[in-house]
Amino acid sequence: AQSVTQLGSHVSVSEGALVLLRCNYSSSVPPYLFWYVQYPNQGLQLLLKYTSAATLVKGINGFEAEFKKSETSFHLTKPSAHMSDAAEYFCAVSERRDDKIIFGKGTRLHILP
Amino acid sequence: DTGVSQDPRHKITKRGQNVTFRCDPISEHNRLYWYRQTLGQGPEFLTYFQNEAQLEKSRLLSDRFSAERPKGSFSTLEIQRTEQGDSAMYLCASSPAGSGETEQFFGPGTRLTVL
């Protein structure tokens, strides 16, 4: 069965510092992996996705993630945090194209001035 | 592109009442998904449709829940005899299945509060 584990329900970084949000997945088949962002009182927005092409995936707003099969990880990074990055971030996995998505519990990112 | 829309955005009801939510997907998206998100948790899959056919239902979808997509366009999610545990954000998403696109586009959600 698919599952996603996000390490740290809350992460705080200073403005301008590196953002690193950790995600490990479990899947019985080569997975499709996603990072979604949710701003307060808004819907989910796709940041980036891995679909078996390049292992380093670039997304919107300067975020990127690297698929590491040996570590079953898909960590999200951004070189320099901005105040506008404060939000809830969800890592997610799907076993088939167009299939249901299994989400992690989320990590709330706080940006310190 | 107007995006996925959901109605109502907020619903407050008393325990035992029935409620119905509506989701309008992006035009020509043939897959439609329902998820539920409780406070502090990630969204959990409930069910999804390919056109008007309901292809999968989660065990989370008890007998009190029913979803329809009668003409393959909009969808409704009905909860009968609501319980306080049903309080959550109900999210709808759509995708253009068969086009090679894997992204699901999410609506703003309907927040249900059961008193």
Side-chain angles (χ1 to χ4, degrees):
Chain A
Q2 312 161 70
S3 67
V4 171
T5 302
Q6 292 185 240
L7 188 62
S9 58
H10 291 266
V11 170
S12 296
V13 301
S14 298
E15 190 174 18
L18 171 72
V19 175
L20 171 60
L21 303 183
R22 300 178 186 274
C23 172
N24 288 90
Y25 70 90
S26 172
S27 177
S28 58
V29 299
Y32 297 95
L33 294 162
F34 309 86
W35 276 99
Y36 280 85
V37 61
Q38 187 174 38
Y39 297 101
N41 300 315
Q42 294 189 27
L44 291 161
Q45 180 182 7
L46 182 69
L47 274 179
L48 49 80
K49 61 184 177 184
Y50 167 75
T51 58
S52 75
T55 56
L56 182 62
V57 181
K58 293 187 183 298
I60 62 172
N61 302 339
F63 285 93
E64 63 181 36
E66 185 173 9
F67 171 68
K68 292 188 176 181
K69 183 179 178 180
S70 61
E71 299 177 6
T72 60
S73 69
F74 191 57
H75 301 331
L76 182 71
T77 60
K78 182 174 180 178
S80 178
H82 191 272
M83 295 299 290
S84 61
D85 294 328
E88 186 98 24
Y89 291 80
F90 295 95
C91 182
V93 64
S94 179
E95 289 192 337
R96 290 183 297 273
R97 191 184 299 272
D98 304 324
D99 199 5
K100 64 180 182 283
I101 294 176
I102 306 301
F103 288 85
K105 292 186 176 183
T107 297
R108 182 164 296 279
L109 177 63
H110 304 272
I111 308 299
L112 306 174
Chain B
D1 180 4
T2 58
V4 177
S5 61
Q6 293 187 244
D7 184 67
R9 295 289 306 274
H10 302 273
K11 178 69 177 179
I12 300 174
T13 191
K14 293 182 179 180
R15 188 177 53 184
Q17 297 294 306
N18 299 344
V19 295
T20 300
F21 310 140
R22 176 178 170 128
C23 170
D24 287 89
I26 293 172
S27 178
E28 299 181 356
H29 278 194
N30 49 13
R31 286 228 172 169
L32 187 148
Y33 309 79
W34 285 100
Y35 295 83
R36 181 175 68 185
Q37 184 178 18
T38 53
L39 203 61
Q41 300 294 319
E44 297 172 296
F45 168 76
L46 292 178
T47 187
Y48 79 90
F49 294 83
Q50 169 91 8
N51 299 313
E52 65 274 11
Q54 190 171 19
L55 296 186
E56 185 174 350
K57 293 193 296 184
S58 163
R59 59 180 174 79
L60 292 175
L61 214 65
S62 75
D63 291 345
R64 296 184 298 104
F65 288 71
S66 63
E68 295 182 340
R69 194 183 184 197
K71 297 182 180 179
S73 56
F74 73 91
S75 175
T76 58
L77 178 67
E78 180 183 16
I79 309 174
Q80 296 183 326
R81 306 181 303 281
T82 53
E83 301 173 356
Q84 288 185 325
D86 297 331
S87 295
M89 177 75 85
Y90 290 83
L91 298 168
C92 176
S94 69
S95 72
S99 68
E101 179 57 64
T102 54
E103 179 178 355
Q104 292 181 21
F105 296 81
F106 282 80
T110 294
R111 182 170 296 283
L112 172 65
T113 302
V114 181
L115 303 175

